[in-house]
Amino acid sequence: MVAMQLRVIYGDTDQMGVVYYANYLRFFEASRNEFIRAKGLRYRDFEERYGLMLPVVEASVQYRQPARYDDLLTIEATLSEARRASARFDYRVLREGELLATGHTVHACVDPGGKVRRMPPELLARLGAGEPAGAA
C-alpha cells in the first residue's frame, strides 16, 4: 500500500461545497501514479521502457462520507491483483483517519495499437505482484 496526501481545492467541489463525485477517479489516478513511482517507476517509464499502456477498463467508487473544500485527504492505493494482462488497484480515501470512500480500477495491459499483451514478469516483480494469477 502506498499513501499520498491531497488538499481539496475549490475547483474539485460542486455548488454544495462537496467534492464532485467524478473527481474521486482523479484522486485514484494520482494515488496510482504515486504507487508506481514508489516502486521505482514512472508511468511514462512504463510506456517508454515496455511499450505498453494500462487503460482503465473498469472503475468503481463507493461513497461513505463527503469530502469538502480544503480537506486534507489521504488516498491509499494497493495493487490487489495482477494477472497476465490486467491489474486491479484498490483505493481508500480518508480524512483524519475517517473513511470517506473506497473504490477500485481495473486496467488492461495493451500495446499502442490497443492489442492486449502480457505484462512483463520483470514489471510484475517490480510492482510487487509476484507471478500472474491467471489468464487476462
Side-chain angles (χ1 to χ4, degrees), residues 37-91:
R37 186 178 304 278
K39 301 299 182 176
L41 292 170
R42 295 176 306 161
Y43 188 77
R44 179 184 311 174
D45 297 333
F46 178 78
E47 291 179 339
E48 292 173 359
R49 182 178 303 163
Y50 300 104
L52 299 169
M53 295 178 278
L54 291 172
V56 174
V57 296
E58 178 181 315
S60 176
V61 184
Q62 295 77 47
Y63 306 96
R64 298 171 183 257
Q65 295 291 326
R68 299 183 185 280
Y69 169 69
D70 206 37
D71 282 351
L72 182 60
L73 305 179
T74 300
I75 299 104
E76 300 173 347
T78 304
L79 178 63
S80 60
E81 183 177 27
R83 298 173 67 85
R84 287 188 178 114
S86 66
R88 176 185 164 129
F89 288 87
D90 290 332
Y91 309 94

Side-chain angles (χ1 to χ4, degrees), residues 13-32:
T13 65
D14 60 19
Q15 188 175 5
M16 297 175 288
V18 171
V19 170
Y20 180 67
Y21 73 94
N23 284 332
Y24 285 85
L25 295 173
R26 290 181 45 250
F27 300 166
F28 291 177
E29 180 179 7
S31 66
R32 186 172 60 251

Side-chain angles (χ1 to χ4, degrees), residues 34 42-43 75 91 100 107 115 118 130:
E34 290 306 315
R42 295 176 306 161
Y43 188 77
I75 299 104
Y91 309 94
L100 303 182
H107 305 260
K115 186 171 180 180
R118 285 182 153 236

